[in-house]
Amino acid sequence: MTAEQKQEFKQIIEDQIQTLSSEIEAIRSAIYPNKGEGTSDKVAHISFKQEQSIHFQRYEEATKRLNRLKHAYLKVDTPEYGICKECEEDIPLERLKLVPESVYCVACMNELGL
């Protein structure tokens, strides 16, 4: 991978980190509304609790991905970035552009059942 490609991936990762951080903040606001903004009747409260459960799941997944992106950002300048952990072949650049935190190629992911 060239230095220019690594710089491009750093920018892609930075952009995704910024976007995901904003999404996480919005999810956090949905999970924990400001005092006095809660529901006033029982049916609305039940609906809120169901939505809150979904938001918790989204929050957990987004936080995990954010951590993977931050880890990938730190790895971009190392020789192992873009190399599959299983087969040690290059991960296609198109895949890294879509999922820059990828540590496995598609074939190995399928083989490992991930």
Side-chain angles (χ1 to χ4, degrees):
M1 187 177 302
T2 68
E4 291 152 352
Q5 289 171 322
K6 288 183 178 195
Q7 193 58 38
E8 179 184 357
F9 284 113
K10 278 184 139 180
Q11 187 60 53
I12 289 170
I13 294 170
E14 284 177 5
D15 292 345
Q16 289 188 15
I17 286 173
Q18 185 176 14
T19 300
L20 198 53
S21 295
S22 297
E23 289 176 20
I24 287 171
E25 191 55 42
I27 294 169
R28 188 178 296 137
S29 295
I31 293 172
Y32 305 110
N34 292 329
K35 193 170 188 172
E37 292 180 6
T39 57
S40 59
D41 66 19
K42 191 170 186 162
V43 174
H45 181 72
I46 291 170
S47 176
F48 170 76
K49 285 297 190 184
Q50 289 172 337
E51 289 176 11
Q52 190 178 40
S53 176
I54 293 168
H55 291 310
F56 273 127
Q57 292 172 349
R58 287 182 53 220
Y59 179 81
E60 284 181 7
E61 289 302 314
T63 303
K64 288 177 187 176
R65 179 153 193 253
L66 181 62
N67 289 333
R68 289 191 307 265
L69 284 167
K70 288 178 178 179
H71 182 74
Y73 185 82
L74 296 174
K75 292 281 190 181
V76 169
D77 290 324
T78 66
E80 63 260 11
Y81 181 75
I83 305 296
C84 178
K85 286 174 66 172
E86 184 70 16
C87 68
E88 298 182 0
E89 296 292 326
D90 289 341
I91 298 172
L93 296 178
E94 292 75 26
R95 174 167 173 69
L96 288 173
K97 286 180 183 176
L98 293 173
V99 187
E101 71 272 22
S102 297
V103 292
Y104 296 107
C105 65
V106 174
C108 288
M109 280 187 66
N110 290 335
E111 192 174 300
L112 294 169
L114 299 175

